[in-house]
């Protein structure tokens, strides 16, 4: 093979190897996410493509951000490990849990958690929930 063909071939191979080896950065977390009774946890939890559960939304919400409820629904149990706000004002929204804790807060000593407008129900009577909110660690 002549040298005039080797250079473009080597350059193309290096570009292809660099492209395959490049790891794209993780998607940034949103400061505000949304849940809806008709959402899907595979969604990005945006206002137009909400998640279905708090557990699905919390991993897509940045520390210090908030999760809002679009409509009424039971958004499931969740473990909170960072500063965050769960805001469900103006809708009947909550956490329905059975045989477990509804909300577990196990955050850093500097993290503040704000919960507003939620109904927490440990039903049914044959298998009641343990605690509505179980606070293990956090500033407030």
């Amino acid at each position: 093979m002549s040298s005039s063909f080797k250079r473009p071939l080597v350059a193309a191979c290096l570009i292809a190897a660099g492209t395959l080896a490049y790891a794209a950065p993780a998607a940034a977390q949103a400061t505000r996410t949304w849940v809806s009774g008709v959402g899907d946890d595979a969604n990005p939890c945006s206002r137009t493509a909400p998640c279905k559960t708090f557990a699905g939304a919390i991993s897509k919400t940045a520390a210090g951000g908030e999760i809002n409820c679009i409509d009424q629904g039971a958004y499931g149990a969740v473990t909170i490990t960072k500063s965050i706000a769960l805001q469900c004002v103006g809708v009947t929204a909550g956490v329905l849990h059975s045989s477990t804790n509804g909300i577990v807060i196990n955050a850093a000593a500097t993290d503040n958690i704000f919960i507003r407008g939620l109904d927490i129900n440990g039903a049914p009577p044959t298998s009641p929930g343990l605690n509505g909110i179980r606070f293990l660690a956090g500033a407030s």
Side-chain angles (χ1 to χ4, degrees), residues 3-139:
S3 65
S4 63
F5 289 111
K6 286 182 184 177
R7 271 191 210 137
L9 181 60
V10 169
C13 289
L14 289 173
I15 291 170
T19 303
L20 293 174
Y22 174 72
Q29 294 179 315
T31 55
R32 177 175 287 186
T33 56
W34 302 86
V35 292
S36 170
V38 294
D40 187 330
D41 285 347
N43 288 341
C45 303
S46 64
R47 179 72 173 91
T48 56
C51 284
K52 186 166 186 73
T53 66
F54 288 135
I58 201 161
S59 65
K60 297 169 187 166
T61 308
E66 68 180 68
I67 300 171
N68 297 104
C69 301
I70 294 175
D71 53 18
Q72 62 187 26
Y75 296 111
V78 64
T79 298
I80 298 172
T81 59
K82 58 188 168 187
S83 289
I84 203 157
L86 299 180
Q87 303 250 31
C88 295
V89 179
V91 297
T92 302
V95 175
L96 179 63
H97 58 101
S98 172
S99 300
T100 188
N101 297 305
I103 298 172
V104 176
I105 299 171
N106 193 12
T110 56
D111 289 338
N112 296 298
I113 292 81
F114 185 75
I115 299 170
R116 183 171 171 211
L118 287 179
D119 295 335
I120 302 172
N121 189 346
T126 57
S127 184
L130 302 177
N131 297 291
I133 297 176
R134 176 84 167 114
F135 190 92
L136 299 174

